[in-house]
Amino acid sequence: MRHTPATVHLLWTGGWDSTYRLLYLLREGKQVQPHYIIDPHRPSSRHELRAMEAISECINKETEKLSGTLLPTEISEKAASVRSNEIEEAYNAIIKKMYIGDQYMWLADYCETRGIEGMELGVENIPGNNVTKAVNLVEYPYSKIFGKFRFPILSTNKLEMKEWSEATGTLSIMELTWFCHKPTAGAEPCGRCGPCEAAIKEGMGYRFPLTSRIRYQLRIVPRLRSFAKKFPGFYYLLYSLKHSK
Ligand SMILES: [Zn+2]
């Protein structure tokens, strides 16, 4: 892994938001080191890896439009346990106050272990969303987790990203992205997981087959999650039971 000051470290998932950021940086002539963490509990990994491979091939053919350097993606398995006690303690302190997905704890630990400062995360600004609140809080325990990252696309949304990619002739690359965490056996987006829900709500419904859009209308899990967001104590209890704390 190269760590020159000019290298931008980016968590790349093969999804719409992080791919937009990747293309944006490459168009600015930057050298980008993408990172991808395989989560064995997430059935979408092979779809994401395949999307990233197809996107990388297209990027390498578009050297005029995308003049920056795309370094080979650092791919690693999610660690068996969080190595930094301080990061785990900070995460536990946060979720007693508000629901935040544990991926931020794992990512902070990943950065700390590898000495990466300012890893870019493709997180959108969603008003009222807990992550949006947490990234703007500078004190402990938020600083211990979110202080490790940069959030360059907080002020944009999916339709603005689409407009940018149309204007720069990169929409065909953006349409190779994958955004579902729980694809069906037939490799269709589920329409029910968090990323599918966000994509449909933000005007990306045109990329979903009809069956996925029907599943979106019938979804139940996101309602449970929004319940958990309103009652952080309930989420902490579930999380503690799952991890036997
Ligand atoms: Zn999905």
Side-chain angles (χ1 to χ4, degrees):
M1 202 190 309
R2 284 191 247 169
H3 284 282
T4 61
T7 303
V8 179
H9 293 271
L10 171 72
L11 183 77
W12 188 28
T13 63
W16 182 265
D17 302 349
S18 62
T19 301
Y20 160 78
R21 183 60 186 168
L22 174 64
L23 298 179
Y24 187 94
L25 288 166
L26 292 173
R27 200 159 178 276
E28 297 275 294
K30 297 283 195 293
Q31 174 164 277
V32 185
Q33 173 63 70
H35 297 261
Y36 180 83
I37 302 166
I38 299 173
D39 181 345
H41 300 296
R42 214 159 82 188
S44 55
S45 285
R46 69 190 168 92
H47 297 280
E48 292 167 353
L49 289 164
R50 206 181 294 148
M52 288 190 283
E53 208 174 300
I55 292 166
S56 299
E57 272 177 32
C58 287
I59 287 172
N60 290 332
K61 287 183 202 149
E62 295 281 6
T63 46
E64 262 183 46
K65 270 184 215 154
L66 306 167
S67 61
T69 306
L70 175 60
L71 297 174
T73 303
E74 283 282 329
I75 299 174
S76 52
E77 291 263 353
K78 185 176 166 184
S81 59
V82 174
R83 278 157 284 194
S84 161
N85 288 337
E86 290 89 21
I87 286 176
E88 193 164 17
E89 278 166 23
Y91 179 71
N92 283 323
I94 291 172
I95 61 170
K96 280 177 187 164
K97 295 176 187 165
M98 65 161 93
Y99 167 88
I100 293 283
D102 68 354
Q103 68 269 32
Y104 295 99
M105 170 180 70
W106 290 99
L107 285 172
D109 194 54
Y110 176 92
C111 291
E112 183 141 307
T113 310
R114 286 164 177 76
I116 299 168
E117 297 287 334
M119 168 95 92
E120 289 200 354
L121 304 188
V123 172
E124 276 181 275
N125 183 19
I126 301 172
N129 177 283
N130 282 349
V131 174
T132 303
K133 281 183 214 158
V135 302
N136 290 310
L137 295 168
V138 290
E139 72 274 16
Y140 182 87
Y142 308 97
S143 55
K144 186 70 194 165
I145 305 268
F146 292 96
K148 297 207 171 293
F149 312 127
R150 283 195 201 120
F151 298 91
I153 62 161
L154 271 182
S155 60
T156 186
N157 63 46
K158 290 196 198 318
L159 285 180
E160 283 167 356
M161 296 179 212
K162 185 168 177 249
E163 280 164 19
W164 178 90
S165 52
E166 280 166 342
T168 56
T170 55
L171 185 61
S172 60
I173 304 180
M174 288 293 282
E175 295 199 322
L176 297 170
T177 55
W178 181 266
F179 43 74
C180 173
H181 279 176
K182 293 176 182 165
T184 66
E188 281 182 354
C190 73
R192 288 182 292 224
C193 69
C196 278
E197 189 190 0
I200 292 174
K201 275 187 183 160
E202 291 181 53
M204 295 283 110
Y206 79 97
R207 293 196 55 203
F208 287 77
L210 178 63
T211 46
S212 305
R213 276 179 274 148
I214 291 170
R215 280 191 296 272
Y216 168 75
Q217 296 301 337
L218 299 174
R219 72 204 189 282
I220 294 168
V221 173
R223 287 175 201 152
L224 257 185
R225 197 173 46 239
S226 64
F227 175 78
K229 281 177 195 168
K230 282 183 204 137
F231 300 98
F234 171 70
Y235 174 72
Y236 180 69
L237 176 71
L238 288 181
Y239 179 84
S240 305
L241 287 172
K242 190 175 166 194
H243 297 274
S244 314
K245 284 186 193 299

